[in-house]
């Protein structure tokens, strides 16, 4: 049975979600604070398959909870559900490690579809990796230098180190790798990976890239793989020309 953790302090909303999710056959637990959610996930007696996370909560806000979870190695697929709908908020949510983001007021059918999508995303993701004209001969992994991205396991391996990736990080890497060697605009990333079509301050995406660089670059201040293309966006280079090794 699919287990869902709802983190929401508006109890009428939480109970409405519980009712509808249970009607779909999910098992639901509700907590009212981020602290309670972190504790529940830590104890992890019965793991959850999905989390729905509010942002404006008493105590720690949802962005902080999201970031702390990911830092602690907790990679449960998470949808942030919040009234905060500015593109900067959405990007902050994804930057903190969310897998999806929906703003209140929301359409229940859309929320349910998004949650089903999160559950299926791994399979879809693998399928898309398999069908895309990926530059790598191995469809579910891409190797560059001493690093390899394992899309099926959502892992980045650097020599003997393993970094778990969020779905969104994997999606961004996948997009960059598919366009290997070519400049990719911030706008294209926002539209095609994040699904944001609004007129966004696209510089906000740079925070996300800073995090990716910490994973894949030996010296994140002097990137060799994930390059900035001034005035455009980014360019991923699998094999830098002046490779030191
Ligand atoms: Ca709230």
């Amino acid at each position: 049975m699919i287990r869902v953790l709802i983190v929401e302090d508006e109890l009428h909303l939480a109970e409405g979600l519980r009712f509808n999710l249970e009607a779909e056959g999910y098992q639901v637990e509700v907590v009212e604070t981020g602290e309670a959610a972190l504790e529940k996930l830590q104890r992890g007696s019965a793991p959850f398959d999905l989390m729905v996370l509010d942002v404006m909560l008493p105590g720690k806000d949802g962005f902080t909870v999201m970031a702390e979870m990911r830092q602690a190695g907790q990679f449960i697929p998470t949808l942030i559900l919040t009234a905060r709908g500015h593109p900067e908020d959405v990007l902050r949510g994804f930057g903190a490690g969310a897998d999806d983001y929906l703003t209140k007021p929301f359409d229940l059918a859309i929320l349910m579809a998004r949650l089903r999508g999160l559950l299926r995303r791994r399979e879809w993701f693998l399928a898309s990796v398999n069908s895309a004209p990926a530059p790598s001969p191995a469809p579910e992994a891409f190797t560059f230098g001493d690093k390899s991205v394992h899309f099926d396991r959502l892992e980045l391996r650097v020599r003997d180190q393993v970094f778990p990736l969020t779905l969104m990080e994997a999606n961004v890497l996948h997009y960059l790798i598919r366009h290997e060697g070519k400049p990719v605009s911030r706008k294209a990333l926002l539209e095609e990976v994040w699904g944001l079509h609004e007129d966004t301050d696209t510089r906000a995406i740079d925070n996300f890239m800073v995090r990716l660089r910490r994973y894949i670059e030996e010296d994140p201040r002097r990137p060799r793989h994930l390059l900035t293309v001034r005035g455009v966006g980014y360019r991923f280079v699998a094999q830098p020309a002046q490779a030191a090794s």
Side-chain angles (χ1 to χ4, degrees):
M1 181 173 288
I2 303 290
R3 282 169 50 77
V4 184
L5 180 62
I6 295 175
V7 190
E8 176 61 71
D9 62 322
E10 287 168 63
L11 281 183
H12 68 281
L13 174 55
E15 289 309 317
L17 284 176
R18 180 205 291 279
F19 178 83
N20 285 286
L21 285 164
E22 286 180 350
E24 294 259 321
Y26 298 107
Q27 194 181 329
V28 177
E29 284 196 42
V30 174
V31 291
E32 292 173 54
T33 65
E35 288 84 348
L38 287 166
E39 199 193 313
K40 203 167 254 305
L41 290 168
Q42 257 166 22
R43 274 190 282 122
S45 45
F48 291 92
D49 302 290
L50 275 180
M51 182 164 82
V52 177
L53 176 64
D54 184 23
V55 170
M56 287 179 278
L57 293 162
K60 277 181 190 170
D61 69 60
F63 294 137
T64 306
V65 173
M66 186 81 264
E68 286 187 13
M69 273 178 50
R70 296 314 193 209
Q71 275 153 25
Q74 173 58 257
F75 278 79
I76 172 176
T78 300
L79 178 141
I80 289 184
L81 182 63
T82 174
R84 293 175 57 164
H86 287 293
E88 289 73 19
D89 291 321
V90 178
L91 285 167
R92 194 174 160 202
F94 282 123
D99 296 294
D100 204 352
Y101 197 104
L102 188 61
T103 50
K104 299 172 186 170
F106 60 95
D107 184 286
L108 182 65
I110 302 256
L111 174 69
M112 300 305 281
R114 295 279 193 96
L115 293 179
R116 282 192 293 270
L118 276 183
L119 288 169
R120 282 197 305 247
R121 191 81 52 91
R122 271 172 194 267
E123 283 92 317
W124 287 356
F125 189 75
L126 189 53
S128 81
V129 172
N130 281 324
S131 62
S136 162
E140 65 285 339
F142 181 81
T143 301
F144 55 106
D146 53 6
K147 302 156 198 79
S148 53
V149 191
H150 297 262
F151 292 111
D152 53 341
R153 279 174 280 154
L154 297 174
E155 284 175 0
L156 175 77
R157 289 171 178 265
V158 183
R159 291 181 291 272
D160 53 352
Q161 274 186 293
V162 179
F163 300 96
L165 298 170
T166 65
L167 284 166
M168 190 51 76
E169 287 168 343
N171 280 328
V172 170
L173 275 172
H174 185 234
Y175 189 84
L176 290 166
I177 286 168
R178 265 177 54 207
H179 297 84
E180 204 267 325
K182 301 187 195 96
V184 168
S185 71
R186 291 181 177 82
K187 190 168 181 290
L189 280 165
L190 281 170
E191 289 188 357
E192 295 184 36
V193 183
W194 271 273
L196 288 173
H197 297 278
E198 291 151 89
D199 199 10
T200 308
D201 175 7
T202 50
R203 280 172 300 178
I205 205 171
D206 298 344
N207 295 329
F208 198 86
M209 293 303 178
V210 166
R211 206 165 72 159
L212 282 183
R213 277 187 179 137
R214 271 190 233 131
Y215 296 153
I216 67 171
E217 301 287 356
E218 246 123 88
D219 181 356
R221 288 160 305 168
R222 295 206 312 233
R224 295 168 68 235
H225 293 292
L226 184 46
L227 309 177
T228 299
V229 182
R230 209 167 289 278
V232 179
Y234 294 91
R235 187 159 64 95
F236 177 78
V237 177
Q239 309 290 346
Q242 298 136 358
S245 55

